[in-house]
Amino acid sequence: MTTSGDLYARSLAVTPGGVHSPVRAFGRVGGTPVFVRAARGSRLEDVDGRRYVDFCMAFGPLILGHAHPRVLAAVKAAAEGGWSFGTAESRSLELAELITGRLPWVERLRFVNSGTEAVMSALRLARAATGRTLVLKFEGCYHGHVDSMLIRAGSGLAGVADSAGVTAGVAADTLVLPLDDTAGLEGFFAARGREIAAAIIEPLPANHGLLPQRQEFLDALAWLCQQYGALLVFDEVITGFRTAFGGMAEVTGIRPDLVTYGKIIGGGFPVGAFGGRRDVMELVAPLGPVYQAGTLSANPVAMAAGLATLGQLVDGTAYLALEDSGRMLDELLQDVPGLRLQRSGSLFWVALDDGHGGGPPIRTPAGLPETAVARFPAFFHALLAAGIYLPPSPFEVGFLSTAHTDDDLRSLATAIREKVPDT
Ligand SMILES: *Cc1c(COP(=O)(O)O)cnc(C)c1O
C-alpha cells in the first residue's frame, strides 16, 4: 500500500519541500504531511486509511463541509456543459447579482482566481483612484503573496519578517503599523495621511492566530481614511460570508471603499473577487485605465460551486447554527489549564499559554506567548493521533463548518483536555 510517507518522499523530488503551499509541509509541527484520499462532511481520510475530524477545512473555503451534496451536484451539472468559455456566461452574472444585491458596499465587483489576485488588483486600483503610492498595512495581517504585502504578514510567514525577492522599491511603498493602537494610527495619519492611497486590513485578523480588534480601532481607521482621502480596503478573504453573509463589514457596520473576497466565495474552487464603490470600480478595464484580466476568471464550474455555497448561506440560518457550535466549543473548553481559546463565530484559535483561558484577548502578534509556539508541535501530533486534524501551525485558526456535529466538537474537546497536559 502507498503511504503518506511514500508520497511525500516522491513529492520532495518534484516540488520545493514536497508541497504546493508552504504550511502544508508541516514545517511548524514536524513529521510527514497527511496525504488525503477523500473527504466528506467533517471528515478526512488519508491514504493510510486513517480518519480524522477536520478542523482545518482547507483553510476556510468549506463552510458547508467537504463534498456538500448540493455543491457537488452544481459542479457536476456545470462541468457537463463545458468548463471554460473565454466569453461571457450567466453563472458569474448570477453570483455577482447575489452579492451586489445583498451587500450595499459592493456596488460593482470583478471575479479573479484567488485572494492574492483580489488584493493585488484592489491595491493597484486604489493607487490609480487616488494618484498616491503608499499603502498602509498592519503587522500580523496576511493579504496573500503579492510582493507588496509580504511585509510583516501572518500565515506561512508568521514570525518571518519578509520574503526574499521583494525589491527594496516595492517594500518601501508599504508602511506597516501595529494593530490595536489607535493613538499610533492617529499620529501616523497626521504625519503622512495625505500620501496614503489605501489602508488595507483584515477587520478580524485570522492569519496570525485570531486577533479580534476593538470596534473603536476599526472606527478610527475608517474615519482617518475618510479625513485624509485614503481608501479603506477590507480584506475579507477569510471573514467574507463567514462571520456573517456580509462578513466584518456587516458585523462592524463599517463601509469599506473596496473589499476583497476569496475562500468561501468559490466554495472550495479557485475564486476571488474585489469590489466596492462604483466610481472607483469603474476605473477598471475595459471601462477605465486600470488593467486587470484573467484567462480563467469567472470559470463556470467554480462559479457554480460559489453559487451553490452562497445559496446555502444567504438566509442567515447557517450563521446561527455555527454560532451555537462555537458556544458549545467555548463551554467544552472552559478552564483548561494551559490553554486559551479565542473564538469569533466559526473561527477559533487554540493558543497554548500559561493561563486558564481567562484574561483580556490577545489582539496583536506580540501578545502570543512563546510557549504557544514551542508546545504546539507535540500538541498537534497528539491530536492527530487521536483523529483530530487541526491546521498544522500555531498561527493558523481552526474552522467550524455546518457539517460538524456535536459529537465532532466533543471529540475535539476531549482530545484537547486529555492531551494538553502532556504538551
Ligand atoms: C487566504 C487569504 C488571502 C490569500 O488568498 P489566496 O486565495 O490564498 O491567494 C488573502 N487575504 C486573507 C485575509 C486571507 O486569509
Side-chain angles (χ1 to χ4, degrees):
M1 195 181 73
T2 308
T3 66
S4 286
D6 299 334
L7 295 174
Y8 185 45
R10 277 169 56 193
S11 300
L12 287 168
V14 292
T15 186
V19 292
H20 297 279
S21 194
V23 178
R24 298 180 196 174
F26 274 34
R28 287 275 179 192
V29 293
T32 302
V34 168
F35 277 71
V36 173
R37 171 156 57 206
R40 185 166 291 265
S42 62
R43 304 291 169 128
L44 288 178
E45 187 181 332
D46 72 11
V47 295
D48 306 310
R50 279 190 286 265
R51 305 190 74 203
Y52 308 91
V53 185
D54 182 13
F55 290 99
C56 179
M57 284 290 156
F59 294 102
L62 303 177
I63 194 168
L64 304 178
H66 292 280
H68 186 280
R70 295 225 184 156
V71 181
L72 182 61
V75 164
K76 281 183 176 166
E80 292 285 352
W83 43 84
S84 223
F85 309 131
T87 183
E89 43 60 66
S90 63
R91 284 191 185 85
S92 55
L93 169 62
E94 282 178 50
L95 187 54
E97 283 178 345
L98 176 67
I99 295 167
T100 58
R102 298 231 174 15
L103 310 185
W105 54 93
V106 188
E107 293 175 338
R108 295 288 185 275
L109 70 73
R110 169 75 47 95
F111 289 118
V112 294
N113 303 293
S114 69
T116 295
E117 267 188 68
V119 167
M120 179 182 77
S121 305
L123 295 181
R124 182 186 304 135
L125 177 57
R127 287 180 163 125
T130 57
R132 301 176 183 180
T133 302
L134 299 179
V135 168
L136 172 64
K137 79 178 282 289
F138 293 88
E139 192 171 355
C141 286
Y142 178 67
H143 302 293
H145 64 94
V146 59
D147 282 14
S148 68
M149 293 288 103
L150 291 178
I151 317 256
R152 281 186 270 168
S155 201
L157 288 172
V160 179
D162 214 332
S163 164
V166 175
T167 65
V170 166
D173 291 339
T174 303
L175 304 180
V176 186
L177 285 185
L179 289 163
D180 192 40
D181 177 6
T182 305
L185 201 58
E186 288 166 351
F188 172 83
F189 269 90
R192 308 203 63 178
R194 301 249 167 246
E195 298 170 62
I196 302 298
I200 184 168
I201 190 166
E202 293 183 73
L204 173 61
N207 281 287
H208 198 295
L210 190 67
L211 305 173
Q213 297 303 295
R214 296 171 217 265
Q215 177 80 29
E216 165 224 84
F217 176 73
L218 297 171
D219 283 341
L221 178 62
W223 189 83
L224 289 164
C225 282
Q226 204 184 15
Q227 292 306 301
Y228 287 89
L231 299 190
L232 176 63
V233 183
F234 268 9
D235 181 352
E236 299 238 38
V237 171
I238 278 195
T239 50
F241 315 104
R242 164 74 59 183
T243 57
F245 192 79
M248 291 305 287
E250 179 178 326
V251 170
T252 62
I254 294 171
R255 209 174 160 138
D257 298 295
L258 292 174
V259 61
T260 55
Y261 297 113
K263 299 193 169 104
I264 291 173
I265 199 173
F269 283 76
V271 180
F274 65 105
R277 272 167 48 187
R278 174 180 170 175
D279 60 326
V280 176
M281 287 299 294
E282 291 193 340
L283 297 173
V284 174
L287 270 191
V290 180
Y291 192 67
Q292 189 282 325
T295 301
L296 296 175
S297 290
N299 172 273
V301 178
M303 291 289 113
L307 263 177
T309 299
L310 297 201
Q312 299 290 298
L313 300 172
V314 70
D315 74 3
T317 54
Y319 300 106
L320 301 177
L322 287 166
E323 179 60 25
D324 283 346
S325 297
R327 288 216 184 99
M328 181 174 164
L329 198 59
D330 290 344
E331 278 165 31
L332 290 167
L333 290 175
Q334 247 174 29
D335 302 322
V336 181
L339 178 140
R340 167 199 289 275
L341 178 75
Q342 297 205 159
R343 183 187 68 81
S344 186
S346 54
L347 294 167
F348 68 95
W349 180 42
V350 178
L352 301 167
D353 68 4
D354 302 321
H356 293 256
I362 299 174
R363 300 188 194 277
T364 68
L368 178 67
E370 272 171 34
T371 53
V373 180
R375 285 169 56 206
F376 192 81
F379 172 74
F380 172 84
H381 280 289
L383 262 64
L384 195 65
I388 302 289
Y389 190 84
L390 285 182
S393 162
F395 301 108
E396 300 288 347
V397 296
F399 296 90
L400 299 177
S401 74
T402 56
H404 286 100
T405 63
D406 289 359
D407 276 346
D408 290 337
L409 302 179
R410 280 189 211 100
S411 309
L412 172 65
T414 304
I416 288 178
R417 282 186 177 276
E418 282 174 6
K419 304 302 179 187
V420 162
D422 306 339
T423 61

